[in-house]
Amino acid sequence: KAGVTQTPRYLIKTRGQQVTLSCSPISGHRSVSWYQQTPGQGLQFLFEYFSETQRNKGNFPGRFSGRQFSNSRSEMNVSTLELGDSALYLCASSLTVPYLETQYFGPGTRLLVL
Amino acid sequence: KNEVEQSPQNLTAQEGEFITINCSYSVGISALHWLQQHPGGGIVSLFMLSSGKKKHGRLIATINIQEKHSSLHITASHPRDSAVYICAVISNFGNEKLTFGTGTRLTIIP
């Protein structure tokens, strides 16, 4: 079974631009969670989607948004990029409830904002 | 004070040594995860615990809910165990979301 895939793997943007990241979960998994990892703040939860609905959201500004499609693929969007948005963005999928079962992580998208 | 504290932050040991990484948390939780992150960023979920102890190969994870503490042990450590180990908790009130510790960087010297 293929693992979680994320595209693109690397991305360079400039301040003020917007970016869309994509995550394809393991086949059959319906929950997708997104995380941001920076050297200063470590790993932080962004949001979680299940069956096209956002179930939980972390403490990030409204510039961070996401969605999930009927095939469980998910995208996250960051608008009006700031230097501090430079980070590794990870998604993880699980069958149903992400926190009471194993999550499978993708390789991440490394975003650099100049 | 962070909700999840890990110790030590960095750990260097010789191959074959018994390794212990600690995780303390300050909130009531429904579950705790141990994750392993290799250089390059890839994260692997090692354990999900809500009570007691779990073992997988040379890895053992324990949790004491009353003391709000979990440990990850590695027996017969090997250089391929070199990675960052992260614990994460799910609080049992409010939104269900993972709150992460800052990680323990483990280096095993051959």
Side-chain angles (χ1 to χ4, degrees), chain A residues 51-67:
Chain A
S51 292
E52 302 179 66
T53 301
Q54 186 182 88
R55 279 203 297 202
N56 283 303
K57 191 177 192 306
N59 298 324
F60 278 80
R63 300 185 296 107
F64 292 80
S65 63
R67 58 178 175 167

Side-chain angles (χ1 to χ4, degrees), chain A residues 38-50:
Chain A
T38 60
Q41 298 294 321
L43 270 165
Q44 296 183 88
F45 169 76
L46 278 159
F47 25 65
E48 186 245 335
Y49 287 87
F50 179 82

Side-chain angles (χ1 to χ4, degrees), chain B residues 1 17 20 24-25 28 35 51 68 70 74 78-79 103 106:
Chain B
K1 188 180 188 299
E17 285 190 38
T20 296
S24 297
Y25 50 91
L35 310 172
S51 65
K68 293 186 165 61
S70 176
I74 305 175
H78 189 276
L106 173 66

